[in-house]
Amino acid sequence: METDLVSRLDEAATRFVIPLRMNEGFDEQALLRLQEEIDGCSTAWRNETHVPKRAALILAELHPAIEACAWLYDGDVRQRIQEAGLLVSETVVEALD
């Protein structure tokens, strides 16, 4: 089960970040799916003593990756991506708290 959770988290992160990095635009649905996967991990790991290493690396890299992608865009899109980065960061903090 743990491997499935981490794989889904990785897939959701990839589906959101890669199009941003490739300058293909902001995908609201991919962001929502990423947040859902983070929440799912939070629920599954609530009573665990640790987070799987691969998941920890994915979660730690999300905000910096999203923030870096924002600079590929201008105006409102850049601002929305930066806001999404902060939202994801807050979701990660809540999930691991």
Side-chain angles (χ1 to χ4, degrees), residues 15-63:
R15 284 189 180 188
F16 181 65
V17 174
I18 296 300
L20 288 177
R21 186 175 299 142
M22 299 303 293
N23 208 11
E24 296 172 0
F26 182 86
D27 184 345
E28 189 74 40
Q29 292 302 314
L31 174 60
L32 292 174
R33 175 142 185 259
L34 176 56
Q35 289 180 278
E36 289 171 1
E37 292 301 332
I38 294 169
D39 288 341
C41 291
S42 171
T43 300
W45 300 329
R46 181 166 286 127
N47 296 318
E48 299 295 325
T49 58
H50 71 282
V51 172
K53 183 178 181 177
R54 184 169 158 226
L57 291 171
I58 293 166
L59 295 171
E61 293 174 351
L62 278 173
H63 182 253

